[in-house]
Amino acid sequence: MATDNQNATGFGEVSRVRGIVFEYLSLGASVAGLVALGVLLVYVAIDAFDLANASPEWLLTYFLTLVVPFLAFCLYSADDAAVTRRVVGVLAGGLVAVAGVFTAIETFVVTIPRLSWQLAYLFVVAAPVTAYLAYVGSHGRVGAVGFGLLGRLVGGIAVGLAVGTLFLVFDELVWFLAYTLGVLPAAALYAYGRWRAAARAVTAAAPIGLLGLVAAAVLRGVVRTYPSDLVIYLWTLAIPVAAVGALVVAARGSRTAAVAAGGGPLALATAGGFLAGSVGLPGPTTLIVLAVTGVPTAVYVHRVVDVGEGTVGLGLPLLLAAGVIVGALVVEAWGVPAPDPWLDASYVTEAPSRNAAEAGLYPAIVGSVIIIALVAVLSFVLGVGTSVFLEEYTAGSGLVGSLTRLLQINIANLAAIPSVVYGLLGLGLFANLLGLGYGTAVTAALTLSLLILPITIISAQEAIRSVPDDLRRGSDAMGATRWQTTKNVVLPEALPGILTGTILALGRAIGETAPLIMIGAATTVFSAPGSLFSRFSAMPMQIYAWAGFPQAEFRYGVVAAGVITLLIILIGMNGTAILLRNRAERGS
Amino acid sequence: MSNTSSDTTGDESLITTDVETGSTDRSTAVGETAVAARDLDVFYGDEQAIDDVSIEIPEKRVTALIGPSGCGKSTFLRCINRMNDMIDVCRVEGDVEFGGKNVYDDDVDPVALRRKIGMVFQKPNPFPKSIRDNVAYGLKIQGFDGDVDARVEESLKGAALWDEVKDQLDSSGLDLSGGQQQRLCIARAIAPDPEVILMDEPTSALDPVAASKIEDLIDGLAEEYTVIIVTHNMQQAARISDRTAVFLTGGRLVEYDDTAKIFEDPEEQRVEDYITGKFG
Ligand SMILES: Nc1ncnc2c1ncn2[C@@H]1O[C@H](COP(=O)(O)OP(=O)(O)O)[C@@H](O)[C@H]1O
Ligand SMILES: [Mg+2]
């Protein structure tokens, strides 16, 4: 390029054409990719929620009762006149622009299928503005409080449902024994040791706990009578959660508040658990959900009130709930046509069906959740273990060093092997050789763990490697053993990075179908798996099966609802993991 | 600084500043030997970093190791607490005695050895933990059974940091300034009550004010600990040390004597040239 053409300024000019071209090409490529994905997701959402049949009146009602109050809340929290002006401007200007462009395209170019200008406005203007405002608002005190509370409510419900789901396949009686004989004594001993600064009690906690677990496994075959499920969950989950909540509040001061924050939700959860049966809800799950939602919420509310900043934010959940209710009442009274979403309560609680209107994803959701939970635990433990070994324990030279390098190269290669091949491995190794069964949840979980293990290991190694050597040397020089240095300094520092890698890898695992097909997983099962060894299906398998159905309702509505469910669960899972990671980052 | 006696200063001092040499509160008579090296050679692969060094370092004194870059000061320091073991290519021959025992004997556990020898590095390296946890780290890994909080307070006072951080013991050690971080590292090193403290250029990453605070501190440390400090800064060696060892290129110990003697009237011409800045 013309790097040396002189001009009047006297210094000449340096051409930047290539850089600029490159910049805009890459920008264009990424924008094009994102827009394509966005359009796809918009259509999927429209199908899943049947928004194509939503009347403009229906949209307007909910816009006014739900979206506008939420925006107002965020603006109030941000408390910035410039932002307010900008948002109002964009909302109003966007309305005119979208309506104009949309009508122009429809009249002069093509008709846009299944989309009205109101919907386009919703997705193109209202949704991004809402997201932006939520971001801005969350930085204000009020917004932070509101989102914090909302997060605890939603997170609590999600965690509660996940725990309830896991107990569909895990034996709660074993858990009852293990908790009573192992976990509880160990935790008590540990707490006592910390409280009284008795190092011996702290070190004894782990062996005692292990002993209890072994005893539980043995006694499970001997003991015949057990309390009811509800009592087991109350004793092993709800009470400890409430106790931890009460302790957290007590640490901040008031004893009465502590009792209220722990006892209130506990009483509510117990009542809910016992009464749930009468309205057709499963008692134990209700109990767990209420407990893990109620206690953190109570603890959080106490803290906010205690600090006394942004208390108004606590009203956010009420505001949203009121918006939904008022919206529903208005729509009802007005009698405008409302959409009939595919993705509704029955979709996520019922089994698949030949009839599109009755089809549900419940067994596949349960299957996916169970598999992912197992994969998360397995790949985290194995991945961290292997990477710690490779990074911290092997010598750089000699025979061991060469072996390590060989292992290292192989791990990198394993990450590049197609997932179908892993399916074959799972089929041969776990299903055939170890006899864990074709298409069972354990086989699937082990296979998927193997599949993502290389990614987990490599990212964990990366994270461990990025811990400054200074810190290791500092710990070593204090007379720490290799293990103490790893446990106390390296792992806490590397944890956020390790979690990031695991999150990405899990995202891949939850969407995999090829290895599941190879190990003989069913595309459709009609009841949720009852044990780790029962046949199961996973969400992507079920979605794939539906996509091949001849009826259009399946190919559009039901599949779309499945995709959205899968995405919501994925985002929920990642969100939880990211929150944990951020907490780990802040904690260190 | 507490240079109360000025009898060791003189116009003949070789370094150009008018600092007084030697913190001579302590008697200049050399006491018991804390650490000794005998015929020590250290190699990194084929390259020799320490060449036949023999030295006896007295207890409860400040001993400074000076010399140009790359002459093996850090290497020598790392031999004392066997931190060289971590370097794959490093090979040590000869004896290093601590408490009358050769630390390179087969029956010596380097981890146990390091619990008796604290170390402070050039760049402050507090752990990304709270101030309290940083100081209590050594106690924790050694399974200390006593009153941790009291020890933390005592160590922070010993490192002249207590008054600055006593209200923020639970905030991160990384939130402190560079000089405070280095004092935190000193507190961390003295908390398990070691016998020797090794310091490898502890002030070279700090500004002069922070550095002088640490110098003041080192003076007090020698009441209880044997301090061995590597420094690049001749004035610093002159100010804070009782004994000075001069290493020159090739890893040879050229001269080792009372600090006053080294800075006023060294035996070796090369040492005089180095101290007066003719090279290095
Ligand atoms: N980890 C190492 N690996 C190989 N050579 C090293 C290592 N550390 C130091 N050396 C070499 O040993 C010699 C002495 O280094 P060092 O003890 O760091 O000197 P000083 O601290 O006096 O500047 C130098 O030549 C240096 O290159
Ligand atoms: Mg050095």
Side-chain angles (χ1 to χ4, degrees):
Chain A
M1 293 265 125
T3 46
D4 53 1
N5 60 344
Q6 296 286 324
N7 73 3
T9 62
F11 289 115
E13 219 174 62
V14 182
S15 163
R16 293 181 180 75
V17 174
R18 270 184 253 195
I20 292 170
V21 168
F22 174 77
E23 190 186 331
Y24 281 101
L25 274 182
S26 36
L27 184 68
S30 39
V31 167
L34 282 178
V35 166
L37 190 66
V39 169
L40 173 75
L41 286 183
V42 164
Y43 271 104
V44 171
I46 289 176
D47 281 347
F49 295 105
D50 193 28
L51 289 178
N53 289 331
S55 59
E57 294 87 348
W58 187 88
L59 288 174
L60 180 69
T61 308
Y62 277 102
F63 185 73
L64 290 180
T65 61
L66 200 57
V67 180
V68 170
F70 178 73
L71 295 183
F73 173 84
C74 294
L75 286 174
Y76 172 74
S77 167
D79 193 20
D80 183 340
V83 173
T84 313
R85 246 176 287 126
R86 214 178 310 147
V87 163
V88 172
V90 170
L91 281 179
L95 188 66
V96 178
V98 169
V101 170
F102 196 90
T103 326
I105 295 180
E106 290 249 283
T107 33
F108 298 115
V109 193
V110 283
T111 51
I112 299 173
R114 301 139 77 82
L115 211 58
S116 59
W117 70 261
Q118 292 94 337
L119 273 181
Y121 175 71
L122 204 63
F123 282 107
V124 176
V125 180
V129 167
T130 311
Y132 165 74
L133 261 191
Y135 173 76
V136 174
S138 70
H139 286 280
R141 267 318 298 172
V142 174
V145 166
F147 287 115
L149 186 62
L150 208 59
R152 275 157 186 83
L153 287 170
V154 175
I157 293 173
V159 171
L161 286 175
V163 171
T165 306
L166 289 182
F167 275 110
L168 289 175
V169 294
F170 292 113
D171 186 356
E172 65 268 20
L173 304 182
V174 174
W175 164 238
F176 168 67
L177 291 174
Y179 175 80
T180 314
L181 300 175
V183 178
L184 188 63
L189 208 58
Y190 183 82
Y192 173 79
R194 292 305 292 254
W195 175 49
R196 281 296 173 86
R200 216 170 303 142
V202 173
T203 33
I208 296 273
L210 214 62
L211 213 66
L213 295 188
V214 174
V218 175
L219 286 179
R220 173 67 182 95
V222 184
V223 179
R224 290 266 157 266
T225 46
Y226 291 93
S228 77
D229 281 1
L230 209 53
V231 174
I232 290 182
Y233 290 126
L234 185 65
W235 163 240
T236 62
L237 292 168
I239 291 181
V241 167
V244 170
L247 282 178
V248 171
V249 173
R252 283 200 293 263
S254 155
R255 197 165 278 239
T256 4
V259 172
L266 183 63
L268 193 72
T270 314
F274 281 100
L275 295 178
S278 54
V279 291
L281 289 172
T285 308
T286 312
L287 172 83
I288 299 174
V289 168
L290 285 177
V292 298
T293 313
V295 174
T297 307
V299 171
Y300 187 71
V301 170
H302 173 260
R303 189 177 85 201
V304 170
V305 173
D306 201 30
V307 174
E309 263 182 70
T311 354
V312 195
L314 293 177
L316 179 61
L318 283 181
L319 186 75
L320 296 181
V324 172
I325 294 170
V326 172
L329 289 178
V330 170
V331 166
E332 180 81 34
W334 200 352
V336 293
D340 177 19
W342 291 103
L343 179 51
D344 54 11
S346 70
Y347 185 80
V348 292
T349 53
E350 310 242 308
S353 159
R354 299 233 137 261
N355 180 350
E358 284 161 22
L361 197 57
Y362 178 65
I365 296 177
V366 173
S368 276
V369 168
I370 287 166
I371 291 172
I372 283 304
L374 285 179
V375 171
V377 172
L378 281 174
S379 63
F380 185 77
V381 171
L382 287 177
V384 172
T386 312
S387 51
V388 164
F389 170 75
L390 285 175
E391 286 302 312
E392 301 290 316
Y393 275 84
T394 55
S397 60
L399 184 65
V400 185
S402 318
L403 275 177
T404 315
R405 265 192 296 283
L406 198 69
L407 208 61
Q408 187 73 58
I409 293 169
N410 276 309
I411 290 173
N413 287 337
L414 283 178
I417 289 180
S419 55
V420 175
V421 180
Y422 277 100
L424 203 59
L425 178 65
L427 181 68
L429 183 62
F430 302 123
N432 278 338
L433 199 62
L434 299 181
L436 298 175
Y438 301 98
T440 59
V442 239
T443 307
L446 287 170
T447 308
L448 289 180
S449 304
L450 219 53
L451 168 74
I452 63 166
L453 197 55
I455 311 178
T456 332
I457 293 176
I458 291 173
S459 56
Q461 272 187 295
E462 220 45 73
I464 290 177
R465 225 173 284 159
S466 70
V467 175
D469 242 1
D470 280 2
L471 297 181
R472 287 192 190 83
R473 293 294 87 88
S475 172
D476 291 341
M478 295 297 298
T481 60
R482 181 96 47 105
W483 169 241
Q484 285 174 326
T485 300
T486 307
K487 185 183 84 162
N488 295 322
V489 176
V490 178
L491 283 183
E493 195 55 5
L495 194 63
I498 294 176
L499 284 177
T500 308
T502 312
I503 296 167
L504 291 177
L506 283 180
R508 178 165 174 208
I510 198 177
E512 276 293 349
T513 30
L516 298 186
I517 296 174
M518 291 302 287
I519 60 160
T523 48
T524 304
V525 293
F526 293 95
S527 58
S531 86
L532 287 180
F533 294 96
S534 38
R535 288 175 66 73
F536 78 101
S537 180
M539 284 187 278
M541 298 281 288
Q542 181 66 66
I543 293 170
Y544 173 72
W546 278 333
F549 274 34
Q551 301 96 312
E553 292 100 322
F554 272 105
R555 277 180 286 123
Y556 293 101
V558 178
V559 166
V563 170
I564 295 286
T565 315
L566 182 59
L567 283 179
I568 289 177
I569 290 184
L570 188 74
I571 291 172
M573 201 177 77
N574 284 0
T576 317
I578 289 170
L579 279 183
L580 281 179
R581 183 194 63 193
N582 291 352
R583 181 150 283 223
E585 246 166 2
R586 244 179 302 135
S588 62
Chain B
M1 290 276 280
S2 50
N3 290 342
T4 47
S5 75
S6 53
D7 53 355
T8 50
T9 25
D11 296 332
E12 69 274 30
S13 182
L14 293 171
I15 52 175
T16 46
T17 53
D18 53 1
V19 292
E20 305 165 65
T21 48
S23 20
T24 43
D25 271 0
R26 299 176 289 281
S27 120
T28 40
V30 170
E32 301 262 313
T33 300
V35 174
R38 293 194 213 298
D39 309 322
L40 186 70
D41 293 301
V42 182
F43 302 86
Y44 291 107
D46 296 331
E47 194 195 338
Q48 185 158 11
I50 295 281
D51 187 359
D52 195 26
V53 166
S54 297
I55 187 172
E56 292 194 347
I57 296 173
E59 70 172 12
K60 306 208 172 157
R61 291 285 181 283
V62 179
T63 302
L65 310 180
I66 61 173
S69 267
C71 69
K73 307 180 297 289
S74 300
T75 303
F76 177 75
L77 210 61
R78 287 198 299 264
C79 285
I80 300 174
N81 63 350
R82 287 188 59 174
M83 286 293 279
N84 278 336
D85 291 16
M86 314 267 169
I87 301 169
D88 278 336
V89 293
C90 183
R91 187 160 52 82
V92 177
E93 288 170 9
D95 291 357
V96 175
E97 280 176 15
F98 167 63
K101 177 140 187 71
N102 179 12
V103 301
Y104 281 95
D105 275 352
D106 288 339
D107 61 346
V108 170
D109 178 358
V111 170
L113 172 74
R114 288 180 205 127
R115 295 185 176 185
K116 293 196 183 329
I117 303 180
M119 190 165 196
V120 177
F121 297 80
Q122 175 170 4
K123 203 169 133 243
N125 59 351
F127 301 128
K129 300 173 183 289
S130 71
I131 293 175
R132 183 198 314 276
D133 288 349
N134 260 289
V135 181
Y137 188 78
L139 306 175
K140 177 177 168 195
I141 58 175
Q142 298 186 21
F144 179 70
D145 242 340
D147 185 348
V148 174
D149 283 340
R151 251 324 165 80
V152 168
E153 178 174 344
E154 194 185 315
S155 310
L156 283 170
K157 281 179 175 157
L161 190 60
W162 174 251
D163 289 333
E164 289 158 66
V165 302
K166 62 172 182 266
D167 298 324
Q168 51 175 91
L169 291 179
D170 286 315
S171 62
S172 169
L174 296 178
D175 294 341
L176 299 175
S177 72
Q180 288 176 320
Q181 288 190 6
Q182 193 64 301
R183 278 179 281 148
L184 180 62
C185 292
I186 293 176
R188 180 176 76 187
I190 60 180
D193 200 22
E195 289 169 32
V196 178
I197 297 174
L198 309 176
M199 300 188 166
D200 194 348
E201 306 192 28
T203 62
S204 62
L206 306 179
D207 66 83
V209 176
S212 87
K213 277 194 187 153
I214 293 201
E215 286 181 11
D216 292 351
L217 175 62
I218 289 170
D219 203 43
L221 286 179
E223 317 242 305
E224 274 186 74
Y225 308 101
T226 304
V227 179
I228 307 176
I229 178 170
V230 170
T231 174
H232 237 85
N233 178 330
M234 238 82 66
Q235 284 88 343
Q236 184 174 67
R239 275 195 298 265
I240 64 176
S241 70
D242 301 296
R243 305 271 293 168
T244 297
V246 185
F247 285 72
L248 290 180
T249 317
R252 272 181 292 272
L253 173 62
V254 185
E255 192 165 346
Y256 173 51
D257 212 327
D258 284 344
T259 299
K261 174 91 168 68
I262 296 277
F263 281 95
E264 283 152 24
D265 181 23
E267 300 287 333
E268 296 263 344
Q269 187 59 39
R270 286 179 296 168
V271 172
E272 181 168 339
D273 290 347
Y274 174 66
I275 287 172
T276 51
K278 291 219 176 86
F279 76 97

